[in-house]
Structures are given as C-alpha cells and as structure tokens.
C-alpha cells in the first residue's frame, strides 16, 4: 500500500482537525491585541488599513465619493479615460496614484 494513501485513509481526519485548530489559532492571534486588527466603533481605523482601489474607465465623476472610502492608492489611471495631470493636481496629495504609463 502506498504511504500517502495509508496516511490519508487512517489520519486524514486528524490532519484536518489539526489544520483547523492551527487556522483558528492564527485568526485568534490576528484579531487579538497582538494582531492589531480592530473592528467596531464609529471612528476606529484598523492599523493594517493600507489598500488599493482598483477601478476601470473614467472615475472622475465618482472620485470625491471614492476618496471618502479611505483608500491609500488608486489603480489604474487609464490614459484613454482619465488625464493623469488633472488627477495628480486634484488628488495627488491625498492618495498614491498607480498606473498610466
């Protein structure tokens, strides 16, 4: 009998339980005080909150609303749909601009 089949047949459930316990522990640590991921509260902003907004096409009519989401970066700025210079002048000091090469 193949060793891998033997392990899967007789220890498969045990391996699944061990993996579940490990994953549960990782999630517990991530959301505890050690992990710095916070939920709740009106003004709470998680410390691990760096994120990129990805949108296609002309986002200019929606940019003011999109900026209220608290993103750190906008990707991409499509050359055919948005003018990089105009976006840079208006939003370049508030968000990282990624794309438009």
């Amino acid at each position: 009998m193949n060793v891998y089949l033997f392990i899967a047949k007789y220890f498969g459930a045990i391996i699944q339980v061990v993996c579940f316990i490990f994953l549960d522990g990782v999630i517990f640590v991530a959301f505890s005080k050690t992990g710095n991921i916070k939920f709740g509260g009106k003004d709470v902003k998680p410390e691990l909150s760096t994120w990129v907004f990805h949108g296609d096409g002309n986002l200019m009519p929606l940019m003011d609303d999109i900026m209220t989401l608290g993103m750190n970066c906008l990707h991409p700025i499509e050359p055919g749909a948005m003018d990089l210079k105009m976006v840079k002048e208006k939003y370049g000091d508030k968000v990282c601009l990624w794309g438009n090469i």
Side-chain angles (χ1 to χ4, degrees):
M1 177 182 265
N2 189 338
V3 173
Y4 298 113
L5 292 176
F6 177 81
I7 291 171
K9 182 176 180 181
Y10 294 104
F11 299 105
I14 294 171
I15 292 171
Q16 289 178 357
V17 170
V18 169
C19 289
F20 177 76
I21 291 171
F22 175 76
L23 180 61
D24 190 42
V26 168
I27 291 171
F28 174 76
V29 169
F31 290 100
S32 68
K33 291 181 181 179
T34 307
N36 292 327
I37 298 176
K38 301 175 185 172
F39 287 111
K42 185 177 173 184
D43 298 325
V44 173
K45 184 174 181 183
E47 293 181 24
L48 302 174
S49 63
T50 301
W51 66 281
V52 176
F53 182 86
H54 176 85
D56 296 319
N58 185 6
L59 300 174
M60 288 308 293
L62 305 171
M63 277 300 289
D64 291 327
D65 294 329
I66 292 171
M67 293 299 293
T68 62
L69 298 175
M71 66 188 170
N72 301 92
C73 184
L74 176 64
H75 174 264
I77 295 141
E78 294 188 32
M82 298 172 69
D83 181 25
L84 178 61
K85 185 175 181 181
M86 182 177 65
V87 176
K88 175 72 174 164
E89 289 173 358
K90 191 165 183 183
Y91 300 104
D93 60 336
K94 300 173 186 163
V95 68
C96 172
L97 303 175
W98 179 15
N100 197 313
I101 297 176

